Amino acid sequence: MNKRYAFLMNADKCIGCRGCAMACKNFNRLEPSMVWRQVYPLAESIYPHRERAFYSLACNHCDDPACLRACPTGSYEKREDGIVVHHQETCIGCTNCVRSCPYGAPRYNAEEKHAEKCSMCRERIDAGLLPACVQACPVGALELVDLNTLNEPNAVQFPAGYPSMPRLNPATRFILPRMPRQIRGQS
Amino acid sequence: MQTTKEMLMNKSKFRRPDAMDRRGFLKGLLAAGAAAALPGGLLTARNATAAPFDPGAYQVFRNACPRNCYDTCSIKTYVRDGIVQFVEGAPESTFTKGALCVKGYTYPRRLYSPDRIKYPMIQDKRGSGNWRRISWDEAMDRIADKILEIKKRDGSLLGLGLTKYSGNFGITNYGVEGMMSSLGYTTRFVGTPCWPAGIDAQNYDLGDMWCNDPEDFVKAKYIIVWGGNPAWCSMHSMKYLYQARENGAKIVVIDPVFTQTAAKADMYWRVKPGTDGALALGMARHLLDKGLVNQDFVNNYAVGYAEFADYLRQNVTVDWASEISGIPAEDIRSLAEEFAAAKPATVWIGYGMQRHTNGGAMVRAIDAFVAMTGNIGVEGGGARYGQMRTWGFNYHAMIRKQPEGSIGFVGATGPKGEFDFAGESGTAYSDRALNINKTAQEILDAKDPELKMLWVSCKNPFAQDFDRNKLEKAFARLEMVVTVDQFFNETVQHSDIVLPVTTLFEEWTVNVSYWHYWLSLNEQAVKPMHEARSNIEIAAALSRAMNKKAPGSCTFPQEVDGREWMIKEFNKGVYDYFGISSWEELRNGPVKAKLSSSAAWNERVFMTPSGKYEFRSDLCAQNGFKALPEYVPGREATAPFRLLTPHVQFGLHSQFVNLDWMENFYPEPFVYIHPDAAEAKGIRDMDSVRVFNSTGEVKVRARLTSNVARNCVVMYEAWFRRLAFNVQNVVDDCAADMGAMKTGAPGVAIHDQFVDIAPAG
Amino acid sequence: MTPPLSPFSSVPLPESVSVASPVAPEKMAQTLRDLFAARNNGAMFSALERLADFRAAGERALPAMPPYEASAFREAEYAFNRIFVGPGHVPAPPYASVYLDAEPLLMGRAAVSMRDLFRSMGLAVREEDNLPEDHLACELEAWLVLRSLASADDGALRRSADEALLWLLDGHMQIWIPEFLSRARAESMPEPLSDALDCLEAWLLSAQNALNRE
């Protein structure tokens, strides 16, 4: 059976350190203004403490990628293992993909005049290595998993604050953050 | 030619026409005999091909992050064409485990930043911004002339001062201290703004600061993280806390701020700042009342327990502790019971704890609570603060002899420091020690002789020393300031001469941590950019200039080889401790100390005068404190809000936040204030505000959050290259209680600061 | 009259290569190179003076001008360092990588390709200068060397040098130097320095014209 690679984003473990996002820039040598992975603090309506719980998001490597359908030059490729690859060399920078992705994964690089996005470090996966972001997570909050064999009963596909797009069927799975019991001494 | 040109035209939409095929002419030039060597492979556009990543296409070097951080990561550096391409964590270290942190991944930006200090430069009139480039020789001539002039004027070199701390903990960088010694007896700023009160506290209780291997958190069944935020400041430790929880441990965080670590805990206690000692004593009293004291430990491995128990009975109740700390009495009782029942249980005393006027006393109270439960010397247990057991190097670069006939300071034992390994010299003279935590005042007060010249290295006083306004006045007194640095910060701005120093990729050294037990080699991965030199090369250059002008005036070797000097730091003790036979084994990756137990004090033989754990420390009493770990109240408030200025995960003191990649993630500092307090002050989210007190003022935008208490505001310390933000504008130099015994000066009460806040007009 | 090969130590040029007597663009390039490679104010002032002489002599069709004020050179030195050298943030770093590469860093692809070019000519940056190969002074030097090779007897060498010149100008210097100039000119600076930048622009134009004529 084929693999279907995905990111498992464990928001219970995530400490919002941004190491994943910086490791992505470091390995892929992104321009200062470009990010392929970003760490988003959850709104206080979802997690009541400001900037204390996060989703680390990059491309979700959808089953039926909107970017791929929107691209007029065939610059997107869906690999058998689920990874959605963008080919910068044929991209004409029309930004159809940027506008069609509900998760904001492809971004327009104004300097280079093309779109770009996370490729799940396929060149690393193909060499038997982990994606740079996964390797960089110091707490195991970001994992590379195979959805076809994933056995994680707490994993959810569409947590609060993350657009629910069943037709695209994004591969990313989430584990929700905990809330500690609190004793707040009064001043 | 026309076709090439056409190709260029077609390529013009790309920003990198540079990547066009140059194969033709390069070969042509070569074939015609004008060339010596075939250049390496040509470049392709990023992502043009889908070839698997090939680590073999790089030269890999071993580096280590030398910053003042628990985690001291082991780094693998990937180099191609003599250029650092990217970095990653060393997988060989189970502590680093392949992952750096958000700061570590920016290192290539530091190396190749166009804004690095590139050459020795001199400023015509300090603060004018009128800089001239000078050669290393000229810089060293000017510095040597000034040193010799001071020596002639004063008859000693006590007018020459050094301020250096934690900007680079690579062992060979102690060559800066060595350089000063090699010139004569000088003035040193001693002590540390960080952890001294806790070091002395643990020395009184245990005889040394020594903590369990942090990797043994996984053995704990109960973990209290007390006054620390490892999710930001030791993120590699978090995986062990998580694993402990998966093994059934409970994690409790006690902190005035609902930190990122608190959000990951099972339970969070918001304690009133500076009352942690009362809380620990209240829990201790409850252990006593409930008969939960480990009698074996207090009777057989400790002294003074009976007196301490008397003190608790007579002076401490749980209700009293509750009243002072703000934590309900029933919670204090249940936590004490849970902690005593869990075996093993441990407290991680964070470095927020000791930054108070009663910081040392608080650490002693927590030590006592842990000791009463018998968790000292136990794997997975312990009162953890830090360790220096892995630091047994030769300090070859540091230990230098003064020139014959040097005159120095009479009547004191000379400077100390937790990283000072020189020991007592037994000579008639010593260096003059000034308190690093009162840098500004000490410069202003220094007499006979006055401080005339300051050498700054591995430190940014204008970002880290206290009472910035006073520091400005103090620097105005100095006749010459030389700063060794990589970026143009406020201290460089206040200097006469700036010297460019190497980054970790450009020098040889060796690194260890004060927390984990790994040893890392730091190889020179690329040749230094521009005219950057390492601290020991700078010392050698100064020695050449000094000896040319006045033979014998400096004992530092005039030529050094960074690799040789790195090797000279090793000895049999280090090799045995880490189980290696040569430093070259470190080229295969970092190694961990061969510990007989993951627990500190596992033999329960303590280094105190009694050889036992000392609930009653006469040494502590001799030094002017209470013999018992009694309650000491904190500093009185002088303004409506307590100000906390802890570390942020995006920077380490004044480093990293200035780099362009980091600006992506952390573009702007804030003051964090409780929504109720903000409302009372008429402050809305993201409003510009003034944070002020009698020391000074900071202008910053406000962020409203109940993560902080109503009477508390938080600003994270950092240096932003484009912003005037500086928390030291409102932090004074009030001393902590302890620290003088082991580090030469008491710590500083960074978290006992008070401010008012108002909308910016 | 062989152009002095500072800032590079070099394998000497082949005997067969005769170097044309310097014409204005060569002289200008040498002087601009000396300015940007200056390690102290002596070298810098001397380069600024020579650039001023070019203007005084009306070369490169720039208007002749009155002599500078005495203090102007010192002010020019401060401004030069503020804009190009440091120790503070430099608004216009004189390195091609900063402009040509995706990332505004040193030692990018532009530096590697310049290093390749130098290696192919048997040249390397002098150890004591330790300039990245895409530093403006090095690129001007590369242009000078290629110009000298472009009049070589050896036809194959000549053709390669021509192609390399085309790459260096069209594919490299013509792209980044204008951006470099506009960033630099956004800063305030005294006359000798703004005149020097005018010289750089004039040189770029004349070098391009020379290329277009051939």
Side-chain angles (χ1 to χ4, degrees):
Chain A
M1 197 166 73
N2 276 339
K3 285 187 185 305
R4 189 179 171 210
Y5 283 123
F7 292 116
L8 175 60
M9 203 284 117
N10 186 331
D12 188 38
K13 287 186 172 175
C14 178
I15 53 176
C17 75
R18 276 81 168 177
C20 50
M22 195 63 93
C24 171
K25 288 171 77 77
N26 169 67
F27 180 75
N28 292 302
R29 304 196 65 180
L30 304 188
E31 290 83 337
S33 61
M34 292 304 297
V35 282
W36 290 358
R37 174 172 287 283
Q38 184 62 287
V39 178
Y40 299 92
L42 299 190
E44 282 164 89
S45 56
I46 299 170
Y47 189 88
H49 311 295
R50 191 172 195 173
E51 290 160 13
R52 289 294 179 265
F54 308 85
Y55 293 153
S56 167
L57 296 174
C59 173
N60 297 299
H61 300 276
C62 298
D63 218 19
D64 183 8
C67 54
L68 187 147
R69 275 191 279 111
C71 178
T73 60
S75 294
Y76 282 91
E77 173 199 356
K78 176 81 180 165
R79 303 204 326 180
E80 289 199 343
D81 57 11
I83 300 175
V84 179
V85 177
H86 175 250
H87 293 277
Q88 288 176 11
E89 63 279 15
T90 55
C91 175
I92 56 170
C94 73
T95 72
N96 278 1
C97 55
V98 176
R99 281 175 277 120
S100 65
C101 173
Y103 301 108
R107 305 211 177 193
Y108 182 65
N109 183 332
E111 298 276 7
E112 307 263 328
K113 298 185 174 50
H114 59 60
E116 56 187 65
K117 72 162 195 79
C118 156
S119 66
M120 214 180 250
C121 287
R122 73 197 188 290
E123 66 274 50
R124 291 178 63 93
I125 289 178
D126 291 345
L129 300 167
L130 291 171
C133 54
V134 173
Q135 183 180 321
C137 181
V139 294
L142 197 60
E143 286 180 80
L144 179 71
V145 295
D146 175 4
L147 285 186
N148 291 332
T149 57
L150 178 69
N151 179 21
E152 176 52 75
N154 293 325
V156 297
Q157 188 175 18
F158 298 114
Y162 176 82
S164 177
M165 298 284 157
R167 199 169 60 83
L168 304 184
N169 193 10
T172 308
R173 294 295 182 270
F174 297 84
I175 291 174
L176 303 181
R178 81 180 51 222
M179 216 89 74
R181 191 176 154 236
Q182 297 194 42
I183 311 270
R184 296 192 167 201
Q186 275 318 299
S187 35
Chain B
M1 233 177 195
Q2 195 53 36
T3 52
T4 317
K5 188 141 195 173
E6 273 170 8
M7 193 177 80
L8 271 169
M9 299 304 286
N10 291 338
K11 280 244 171 193
S12 64
K13 101 174 171 79
F14 295 103
R15 198 157 175 253
R16 298 188 201 131
D18 179 69
M20 72 182 257
D21 193 348
R22 295 164 296 129
R23 203 179 315 252
F25 66 74
L26 290 177
K27 273 201 177 141
L29 290 167
L30 203 62
L38 188 67
L42 292 166
L43 299 158
T44 55
R46 189 172 67 207
N47 283 13
T49 60
F53 170 65
D54 177 14
Y58 300 85
Q59 263 183 296
V60 178
F61 292 89
R62 296 289 172 179
N63 288 102
C65 183
R67 310 292 157 222
N68 183 350
C69 176
Y70 284 103
D71 291 11
T72 306
C73 285
S74 304
I75 299 176
K76 276 175 87 172
T77 302
Y78 288 76
V79 173
R80 199 171 51 208
D81 299 320
I83 297 167
V84 172
Q85 304 292 330
F86 65 95
V87 291
E88 63 179 30
E92 296 85 358
S93 161
T94 49
F95 192 87
T96 304
K97 212 181 169 200
L100 300 178
C101 75
V102 66
K103 303 177 282 294
Y105 287 112
T106 64
Y107 269 128
R109 317 298 295 181
R110 179 190 289 243
L111 174 62
Y112 296 130
S113 169
D115 289 344
R116 249 186 95 172
I117 296 169
K118 304 172 190 74
Y119 310 110
M121 297 190 82
I122 184 166
Q123 185 169 214
D124 290 342
K125 192 173 176 307
R126 220 181 285 159
S128 68
N130 289 332
W131 291 87
R132 289 185 292 116
R133 179 176 166 187
I134 51 176
S135 67
W136 273 102
D137 285 346
E138 185 183 345
M140 289 303 158
D141 276 348
R142 285 171 177 270
I143 294 166
D145 283 341
K146 184 71 192 173
I147 293 172
L148 290 168
E149 186 243 322
I150 289 173
K151 197 168 171 178
K152 198 169 163 201
R153 210 174 353 149
D154 293 343
S156 81
L157 275 182
L158 296 174
L160 166 63
L162 168 68
T163 190
K164 168 177 180 279
Y165 191 51
S166 65
N168 186 340
F169 271 154
I171 301 298
T172 52
N173 286 289
Y174 291 100
V176 181
E177 284 88 339
M179 175 184 79
M180 298 302 278
S181 296
S182 72
L183 291 165
Y185 296 103
T186 57
T187 292
R188 309 288 183 88
F189 284 86
V190 305
T192 122
C194 182
W195 58 349
I199 295 180
D200 276 11
Q202 290 225 312
N203 272 275
Y204 294 135
D205 295 338
L206 302 146
D208 191 14
M209 172 184 66
W210 181 20
C211 63
N212 284 28
D213 176 2
E215 298 177 49
D216 96 338
F217 269 124
V218 301
K219 298 174 187 168
K221 294 297 174 206
Y222 209 95
I223 299 170
I224 300 177
V225 181
W226 203 331
N229 184 12
W232 282 9
C233 304
S234 179
M235 48 193 79
H236 295 79
S237 295
M238 289 300 285
K239 60 178 173 285
Y240 303 113
L241 301 189
Y242 287 165
Q243 206 182 323
R245 176 153 64 198
E246 281 158 23
N247 296 343
K250 181 168 179 177
I251 299 174
V252 178
V253 169
I254 305 177
D255 204 297
V257 180
F258 183 70
T259 61
Q260 186 61 60
T261 310
K264 297 301 162 193
D266 298 297
M267 183 152 72
Y268 163 64
W269 281 8
R270 169 171 289 157
V271 62
K272 288 187 205 165
T275 69
D276 309 76
L279 194 52
L281 294 171
M283 295 198 294
R285 170 70 199 257
H286 188 64
L287 295 176
L288 198 60
D289 292 348
K290 283 280 166 180
L292 295 172
V293 177
N294 184 308
Q295 295 299 328
D296 176 45
F297 186 84
V298 301
N299 293 332
N300 298 322
Y301 302 102
V303 296
Y305 174 67
E307 282 166 70
F308 179 54
D310 278 349
Y311 166 79
L312 289 175
R313 284 192 198 94
Q314 285 162 27
N315 298 281
V316 172
T317 66
V318 174
D319 289 333
W320 167 85
S322 169
E323 178 67 31
I324 293 196
S325 67
I327 303 299
E330 65 270 28
D331 293 295
I332 297 177
R333 291 191 186 95
S334 64
L335 188 136
E337 288 173 27
E338 286 176 13
F339 191 89
K343 295 198 183 330
T346 185
V347 176
W348 180 349
I349 304 166
Y351 298 144
M353 183 67 65
Q354 79 289 356
R355 295 168 201 240
H356 292 271
T357 56
N358 56 351
M362 296 201 291
V363 172
R364 287 200 69 206
I366 294 171
D367 284 350
F369 167 69
V370 177
M372 284 169 78
T373 61
N375 276 300
I376 303 285
V378 174
E379 297 194 355
R384 302 162 193 242
Y385 188 71
Q387 61 86 14
M388 302 290 298
R389 298 283 163 124
T390 53
W391 293 69
F393 299 97
N394 287 337
Y395 299 91
H396 164 266
M398 181 177 96
I399 299 171
R400 296 280 134 198
K401 266 206 150 41
Q402 287 75 16
E404 292 283 321
S406 292
I407 307 293
F409 194 66
V410 190
T413 55
K416 286 179 185 165
E418 79 281 36
F419 299 105
D420 181 357
F421 303 91
E424 302 294 325
S425 59
T427 53
Y429 295 113
S430 74
D431 293 318
R432 173 169 65 177
L434 300 181
N435 182 346
I436 200 169
N437 291 326
K438 295 185 185 293
T439 299
Q441 196 60 50
E442 294 274 54
I443 293 174
L444 292 170
D445 292 348
K447 292 271 173 319
D448 302 324
E450 293 176 338
L451 199 65
K452 300 178 176 68
M453 178 175 180
L454 187 63
W455 187 285
V456 185
S457 186
C458 307
K459 188 162 185 273
N460 179 359
F462 273 87
Q464 301 307 135
D465 282 342
F466 310 102
D467 197 340
R468 188 193 165 285
N469 290 330
K470 205 197 284 180
L471 195 63
E472 202 136 2
K473 291 190 195 96
F475 264 55
R477 291 273 184 92
L478 300 167
E479 294 169 15
M480 182 185 267
V481 178
V482 179
T483 296
V484 181
D485 214 320
Q486 290 163 351
F487 288 100
F488 188 72
N489 53 43
E490 257 197 299
T491 303
V492 178
Q493 225 172 307
H494 285 84
S495 304
D496 299 290
I497 292 179
V498 63
L499 303 174
V501 73
T502 41
T503 63
L504 70 167
F505 301 117
E506 300 163 308
E507 67 184 31
W508 286 92
T509 196
V510 56
N511 296 74
V512 286
S513 157
Y514 46 74
W515 179 239
H516 64 64
Y517 286 81
W518 288 84
L519 167 67
S520 301
L521 179 65
N522 187 82
E523 296 181 284
Q524 189 186 68
V526 293
K527 77 172 187 183
M529 291 291 290
H530 317 293
E531 290 189 4
R533 291 185 183 175
S534 69
N535 270 313
I536 55 173
E537 287 167 342
I538 293 171
L542 181 61
S543 187
R544 287 197 293 277
M546 290 293 298
N547 282 295
K548 204 171 78 191
K549 290 173 192 295
S553 63
C554 180
T555 64
F556 206 91
Q558 299 183 37
E559 297 293 335
V560 296
D561 178 300
R563 186 173 165 280
E564 290 302 311
W565 277 50
M566 177 276 296
I567 297 169
K568 286 177 198 285
E569 293 295 354
F570 287 91
N571 54 44
K572 186 166 184 306
V574 171
Y575 286 154
D576 290 349
Y577 192 70
F578 288 96
I580 54 175
S581 56
S582 157
W583 67 272
E584 298 202 55
E585 289 178 42
L586 297 169
R587 292 196 134 148
N588 302 324
V591 298
K592 187 177 176 181
K594 301 286 174 251
L595 303 170
S596 59
S597 164
S598 67
W601 310 111
N602 59 306
E603 291 171 5
R604 293 191 165 176
V605 175
F606 297 94
M607 291 167 74
T608 52
S610 65
K612 298 194 170 186
Y613 181 93
E614 297 198 351
F615 286 101
R616 186 200 66 237
S617 167
D618 295 332
L619 185 58
C620 190
Q622 276 166 34
N623 286 342
F625 307 101
K626 309 272 188 194
L628 295 171
E630 293 182 24
Y631 174 67
V632 177
R635 190 183 187 188
E636 290 285 322
T638 53
F641 293 91
R642 179 181 292 267
L643 167 71
L644 301 174
T645 54
H647 295 33
V648 70
Q649 82 266 47
F650 300 113
L652 217 161
H653 299 311
S654 64
Q655 302 196 72
F656 294 106
V657 171
N658 64 309
L659 301 173
D660 56 0
W661 275 5
M662 203 62 89
E663 287 172 338
N664 269 193
F665 297 108
Y666 191 49
E668 181 187 352
F670 297 102
V671 59
Y672 294 86
I673 181 169
H674 193 284
D676 296 349
E679 197 186 353
K681 289 279 179 185
I683 294 167
R684 289 157 308 170
D685 198 38
M686 301 303 272
D687 275 358
S688 288
V689 299
R690 293 190 306 123
V691 178
F692 57 95
N693 58 19
S694 59
T695 306
E697 173 179 304
V698 175
K699 278 213 179 78
V700 66
R701 290 205 290 174
R703 252 225 320 195
L704 273 47
T705 174
S706 58
N707 292 337
V708 299
R710 283 178 184 79
N711 61 348
C712 187
V713 295
V714 172
M715 289 194 287
Y716 296 104
E717 52 141 13
W719 169 56
F720 290 80
R721 61 175 168 160
R722 300 178 206 275
L723 304 174
F725 177 79
N726 188 341
V727 300
Q728 312 307 352
N729 288 354
V730 287
V731 176
D732 70 16
D733 57 5
C734 174
D737 48 357
M738 300 178 189
M741 179 172 74
K742 282 290 169 184
T743 73
V748 63
I750 296 171
H751 294 330
D752 284 337
Q753 303 290 326
F754 300 92
V755 292
D756 203 349
I757 183 166
Chain C
M1 285 201 16
T2 307
L5 280 180
S6 105
F8 306 107
S9 69
S10 65
V11 176
L13 291 173
E15 291 285 332
S16 59
V17 179
S18 70
V19 178
S21 58
V23 292
E26 276 79 358
K27 245 166 53 183
M28 195 75 96
Q30 279 178 42
T31 316
L32 287 163
R33 174 203 63 194
D34 293 346
L35 173 65
F36 281 91
R39 295 161 60 108
N40 52 52
N41 56 14
M44 184 185 293
F45 294 170
S46 145
L48 287 172
E49 258 166 34
R50 278 177 286 149
L51 288 171
D53 289 347
F54 294 155
R55 295 206 55 175
E59 280 195 62
R60 285 307 327 133
L62 292 169
M65 35 157 285
Y68 301 124
E69 297 285 322
S71 64
F73 280 174
R74 177 51 62 94
E75 292 303 319
E77 180 187 11
Y78 294 149
F80 185 93
N81 289 333
R82 218 167 4 247
I83 300 167
F84 306 119
V85 180
H89 162 75
V90 282
Y95 308 87
S97 286
V98 171
Y99 307 87
L100 291 177
D101 276 60
E103 301 176 278
L105 281 191
L106 310 193
M107 303 312 286
R109 290 157 207 266
V112 176
S113 52
M114 282 304 295
R115 186 188 297 174
D116 290 345
L117 175 61
F118 284 125
R119 280 188 191 162
S120 74
M121 297 188 290
L123 298 173
V125 176
R126 269 198 323 221
E127 193 73 29
E128 62 262 40
D129 287 301
N130 198 27
L131 290 168
E133 287 84 350
D134 62 340
H135 187 277
L136 179 56
C138 300
E139 298 213 342
L140 288 163
E141 179 84 4
W143 181 84
L144 282 164
V145 176
L146 286 169
R147 283 288 293 178
S148 71
L149 291 174
S151 52
D153 292 338
D154 178 339
L157 176 58
R158 215 166 48 227
R159 275 190 300 281
S160 293
D162 278 343
E163 277 183 51
L165 268 175
L166 183 68
W167 170 81
L168 181 63
L169 276 172
D170 271 8
H172 210 98
M173 297 177 94
Q174 282 289 1
I175 296 167
W176 77 269
I177 291 178
E179 196 182 331
F180 163 78
L181 279 169
S182 78
R183 281 209 223 171
R185 282 171 169 156
E187 306 296 318
S188 66
M189 64 184 81
E191 233 178 359
L193 194 53
S194 58
D195 289 344
L197 295 184
D198 291 347
C199 286
L200 178 60
E201 187 173 41
W203 169 81
L204 195 60
L205 188 67
S206 65
Q208 191 63 34
N209 285 339
L211 193 68
N212 292 344
R213 275 197 300 274
E214 283 160 16

